[in-house]
Amino acid sequence: MGEILGLGLTHFGGFMFPDEEMAARIGAAMKSPKLPDHLRDPANWPARMREEWGSDKGAAFAAKHKTDFFAGVSHIRAALDDFKPDAVIIFGDDQYECFREDLVPPYCVFIMDKFQVKPYQRARGIGGPAINIWNDPLDTVIDYPGATRIAKTLAAELLGHGFDPAYSYSLPHQDYLGHAFANTLLFLDHARQGWPYPIIPFAINAYGSALIREKGGLDGAGSDDTEMDPPGPSPKRCYDLGVAIARALKPSPWRVALVATASFSHAFLTDKNHRLYPDLPADRERFAELKAGNYAAWRELPLSQLEASGQHELLNWYPVIGAMAELGQKPSYCELLETYTMNSNKCVALFPPAG
Ligand SMILES: [Fe+2]
């Protein structure tokens, strides 16, 4: 019988960079013509946001935010090492990377025997920082093994049970994995102990109606004169996909880790807060449900509600949550890292095998 371990974390790119750079999204939001004038003055921000911003543009808060995050990641990495998976399936959003105008599947399993990651490529492309916390050269390339047999078996099982994942034997548009996978792998190995586990990237169209229109969030302000794209897959479908994944893997001989990678609400997707800060009340609700193992509450949420709260990327968590529901696995560790200035609230969670 297979064993399944659930993990959850964020791939917030800011954690790769110096504390002083971590509030970079605030700078971008302040330049947006759509920001109401009164919010250009930090004196008019919510009290807690002003506190984080302090007199150093958030650098001291950023250091704490980063320390808290990597403490959580160390905890889940230790559990992963104890578990010794045969494969690690990572559910991550494709932000206009492999999913572009020519083909946008709801989700896609990448079946390859090796993958490349160029972790600093995207930040460089948008004028990001010149150094990172590991002092890696900016043209660093990292290789990861793939788990082709398990990936093919999973795709076949899902197709045989009424789910229809796209699959691909190559990465379109670029020769390296997208940011969600790259950052997650970098973070899970932040202590640089090495990464021996074969991976299966499972990309989800979490940006849905903003994927092409806003280039998956890269075009920060969005374009008012462009129609919305069709939506991503529904929360219910992604949850049920996770149920089907658990049912496919449980009778298998493999030990598989399922990794949800995404921040909760993103400032740059939260219109109700003028794209300046994330929707903390909504994130606290999702977090309370998750921590209590009330997965059914997540299943019932309409996509429109998630998108109104800038929680588009929660779709990456849904397959893991559906799988945990099916397997009866509750979180043994679950922490919410709250912030107004660091773009997004982040959750780190661990769901060990039951019994
Ligand atoms: Fe993302």
Side-chain angles (χ1 to χ4, degrees):
M1 290 288 275
E3 285 273 18
I4 297 165
L5 176 73
L7 308 176
L9 74 165
T10 175
H11 55 262
F12 169 60
F15 286 135
M16 293 191 285
F17 299 112
D19 302 338
E20 296 72 26
E21 307 280 355
M22 279 173 53
R25 284 274 184 186
I26 295 281
M30 296 285 263
K31 284 186 203 135
S32 167
K34 290 185 181 171
L35 188 71
D37 275 343
H38 73 281
L39 289 175
R40 293 182 200 284
D41 182 354
N44 297 319
W45 291 356
R48 209 170 133 181
M49 186 168 179
R50 290 199 311 271
E51 218 171 279
E52 288 182 23
W53 193 245
S55 56
D56 59 2
K57 298 188 174 172
F61 177 82
K64 181 184 179 320
H65 197 54
K66 189 186 277 165
T67 300
D68 291 347
F69 173 64
F70 283 123
V73 173
S74 293
H75 184 77
I76 64 174
R77 172 66 199 257
L80 184 69
D81 291 337
D82 287 344
F83 184 72
K84 298 184 179 56
D86 298 307
V88 176
I89 304 178
I90 304 172
F91 298 90
D93 51 300
D94 188 286
Q95 267 174 260
Y96 197 70
E97 293 162 302
C98 294
F99 295 0
R100 295 201 180 191
E101 287 83 351
D102 53 353
L103 191 63
V104 183
Y107 30 76
C108 178
V109 194
F110 289 102
I111 306 174
M112 297 166 63
D113 58 10
K114 56 177 182 291
F115 295 95
Q116 275 196 338
V117 156
K118 298 180 180 176
Y120 311 112
Q121 187 90 3
R122 186 177 172 96
R124 285 173 72 196
I126 53 178
I131 53 168
N132 53 76
I133 59 170
W134 299 279
N135 287 318
D136 288 337
L138 294 184
D139 57 358
T140 290
V141 180
I142 308 173
D143 294 315
Y144 294 92
T148 52
R149 185 158 163 245
I150 298 176
K152 280 187 197 177
T153 302
L154 179 62
E157 284 288 325
L158 290 174
L159 285 158
H161 287 88
F163 279 82
D164 318 306
Y167 69 87
S168 178
Y169 290 146
S170 65
L171 299 175
H173 301 293
Q174 56 188 44
D175 61 359
Y176 52 94
L177 282 171
H179 77 293
F181 308 102
N183 298 4
T184 299
L185 289 161
L186 222 61
F187 294 160
L188 283 170
D189 193 29
H190 70 100
R192 294 291 163 94
Q193 59 198 99
W195 180 270
Y197 310 119
I199 62 168
I200 301 172
F202 203 118
I204 295 180
N205 177 22
Y207 276 70
S209 60
L211 180 76
I212 305 298
R213 180 175 174 266
E214 298 189 32
K215 306 273 185 285
L218 288 179
D219 180 5
S223 165
D224 284 337
D225 53 5
T226 315
E227 280 179 18
M228 293 283 199
D229 304 311
S234 71
K236 202 169 278 176
R237 182 68 174 170
C238 292
Y239 182 104
D240 292 348
L241 171 68
V243 171
I245 289 171
R247 287 181 185 163
L249 293 175
K250 194 62 188 165
S252 82
W254 298 307
R255 304 175 65 77
V256 178
L258 304 181
V259 178
T261 175
S263 292
F264 281 20
S265 173
H266 286 50
F268 69 80
L269 292 168
T270 307
D271 285 330
K272 70 170 85 166
N273 296 337
H274 308 286
R275 301 195 173 207
L276 186 61
Y277 53 92
D279 187 348
L280 181 57
D283 281 350
R284 284 181 174 166
E285 286 177 21
R286 298 295 80 72
F287 175 70
E289 292 153 359
L290 187 67
K291 191 160 185 165
N294 181 10
Y295 306 138
W298 276 47
R299 188 174 183 274
E300 297 314 312
L301 294 167
L303 186 58
S304 57
Q305 185 178 332
L306 296 185
E307 292 194 349
S309 290
Q311 293 174 328
H312 303 52
E313 290 203 17
L314 281 189
L315 288 187
N316 303 341
W317 280 72
Y318 269 87
V320 177
I321 298 311
M324 296 303 106
E326 173 65 12
L327 298 164
Q329 294 182 206
K330 298 280 166 65
S332 62
Y333 178 93
C334 196
E335 296 292 330
L336 183 67
L337 309 181
E338 298 182 355
T339 176
Y340 275 82
T341 57
M342 303 290 134
N343 187 49
S344 55
N345 300 302
K346 292 103 180 155
C347 180
V348 182
L350 177 69
F351 308 83

